[in-house]
Amino acid sequence: MLETTWFVLWGVLWALYFMLDGFDIGVGMLSSFVARDEKELRAVYRSIGPFWDGNEVWLITAGGVTFAAFPAAYAVLFSAFYSPLMLILFGLIMRGVSLELRGKVESDLSRRFWDVCLVFGSFIPALLFGVAFANIFKGIPIDNEGLFHGGMVTILHPYGLAGGFLFVALFLMHGALWLSIKVHGNVGLRAEGVAQKMWYVVLFFAIGFLALSFKETSLFGNYVKSPALFVILLVTLCALFGAKIYMYKGIWWKAWWGSAVTIMGTTLFGVVGLYPSLLPSSLDRSYSLTIYNASSSPLTLKIMLAVALIFVPVVLLYQIWAYRVFRGKISEESLDYENRY
């Protein structure tokens, strides 16, 4: 029971991270394409400035849960995905440094340099998180000792790349919707156009990813055993089409929430299909790491559950407060207030 509780928490935290950090990663990828001058770029930076580091707290939380609740899976995961995880880390560092330093440099050349870093530092994590999770859903070549038999190229198969492109498309649409909500003027109008177009790209990759998941993975096994679980897919599809309807009506906040639920549903679809596996082995299913052979001791899980029940709501309340304080659109007057972004 404890192992299942932590598995659910693990999946929800990853879904929450992708939903929250997804929009600022998407804004980062779009930044140099929707802004045409310095003032517009500053508005784009400011739209995510107060939120991006708080959103990444959930990455630390999800990674911490993997380490503390399922240490064996954490060890194998970091060994197998060492190169992509290092690239993700470098990408996130590039993003953070560009967001913090761009407003402090004087020359246009330096600003352009940090703008390029923001685009690539956002694109790399979006692509590789999708590739990594698609590989986990499909299974990775690990033996009975947890040793990974492959390299960086091993994970770049068509299903892995489909997961990567789906994540990139989802985050681009999510980020464009955020800009539509937060930024006045031409940037907001361009972002609305991008969101409308990206919806069709998301639909294309979502259908392709579902079809490949049916062919390449055993994710649908749990759904066939318990048909009630198909409600996750149904809610996800309704959210995606609901986002399109609200975009058509120009109700951008509701469209953003539709996109948010789509990202959470996409993540949870895979997580629920995995259960009780954490890292399925593509060499032999008996080598797979599950919530039972990869978890910490029951005492550790009980102590951590108490800690999580106390501190996760505190972090949530703090983040809700931050979003409330910085609600509202970015205006020209607010850009003159200070030059940090």
Side-chain angles (χ1 to χ4, degrees), residues 18-19 22-23 25-27 29-30 126 162-177 198-199 201-203 205-206 209 236 240 256 258-267:
F18 290 137
M19 186 265 277
F23 78 77
I25 286 176
V27 169
M29 286 190 283
L30 289 169
F165 291 135
L166 175 61
F167 267 47
V168 170
L170 280 167
F171 292 173
L172 281 171
M173 181 177 77
H174 207 38
L177 288 169
M198 285 309 305
W199 185 89
V201 181
V202 168
L203 182 64
F205 280 114
F209 188 73
T236 306
L240 180 59
W256 185 88
S259 172
V261 175
T262 302
I263 291 173
M264 290 198 73
T266 302
T267 309

Side-chain angles (χ1 to χ4, degrees), residues 74-210:
Y74 180 89
V76 173
L77 189 68
F78 267 70
S79 172
F81 292 161
Y82 184 81
S83 297
L85 289 177
M86 285 299 104
L87 288 172
I88 288 172
L89 182 61
F90 289 140
L92 293 174
I93 290 171
M94 274 202 298
R95 287 182 73 238
V97 174
S98 59
L99 282 161
E100 291 299 321
L101 290 189
R102 185 187 187 278
K104 297 179 173 62
V105 296
E106 297 294 334
S107 74
D108 287 341
L109 186 62
S110 297
R111 290 198 192 101
R112 295 294 84 77
F113 171 76
W114 291 120
D115 292 339
V116 171
C117 285
L118 180 63
V119 172
F120 282 98
S122 301
F123 173 75
I124 292 169
L127 180 72
L128 292 181
F129 270 129
V131 170
F133 268 80
N135 273 274
I136 292 172
F137 296 159
K138 179 182 170 66
I140 58 175
I142 52 174
D143 62 21
N144 58 336
E145 295 182 341
L147 296 176
F148 180 66
H149 294 264
M152 183 73 181
V153 178
T154 310
I155 65 173
L156 297 177
H157 45 72
Y159 184 67
L161 290 172
F165 291 135
L166 175 61
F167 267 47
V168 170
L170 280 167
F171 292 173
L172 281 171
M173 181 177 77
H174 207 38
L177 288 169
W178 182 257
L179 286 173
S180 306
I181 296 164
K182 293 293 290 182
V183 183
H184 274 296
N186 291 330
V187 173
L189 292 173
R190 290 186 204 113
E192 290 174 10
V194 171
Q196 296 271 13
K197 291 171 186 168
M198 285 309 305
W199 185 89
Y200 294 101
V201 181
V202 168
L203 182 64
F204 172 79
F205 280 114
I207 292 171
F209 188 73
L210 269 180

Side-chain angles (χ1 to χ4, degrees), residues 309-326:
L309 290 175
I310 294 169
F311 287 104
V312 169
V314 171
V315 177
L316 267 176
L317 287 172
Y318 172 78
Q319 201 152 21
I320 290 169
W321 174 78
Y323 277 84
R324 180 172 172 75
V325 168
F326 293 102

Side-chain angles (χ1 to χ4, degrees), residues 173-254:
M173 181 177 77
H174 207 38
L177 288 169
W178 182 257
L179 286 173
S180 306
I181 296 164
K182 293 293 290 182
V183 183
H184 274 296
N186 291 330
V187 173
L189 292 173
R190 290 186 204 113
E192 290 174 10
V194 171
Q196 296 271 13
K197 291 171 186 168
M198 285 309 305
W199 185 89
Y200 294 101
V201 181
V202 168
L203 182 64
F204 172 79
F205 280 114
I207 292 171
F209 188 73
L210 269 180
L212 284 172
S213 295
F214 185 76
K215 182 185 175 190
E216 301 279 344
T217 75
S218 56
L219 290 182
F220 280 92
N222 286 341
Y223 291 87
V224 173
K225 285 180 192 170
S226 305
L229 293 174
F230 276 107
V231 73
I232 295 172
L233 268 180
L234 182 63
V235 169
T236 306
L237 287 172
C238 288
L240 180 59
F241 281 92
K244 181 61 178 171
I245 292 169
Y246 286 122
M247 284 184 217
Y248 178 75
K249 292 182 175 179
I251 308 175
W252 300 102
W253 258 118
K254 290 186 178 179

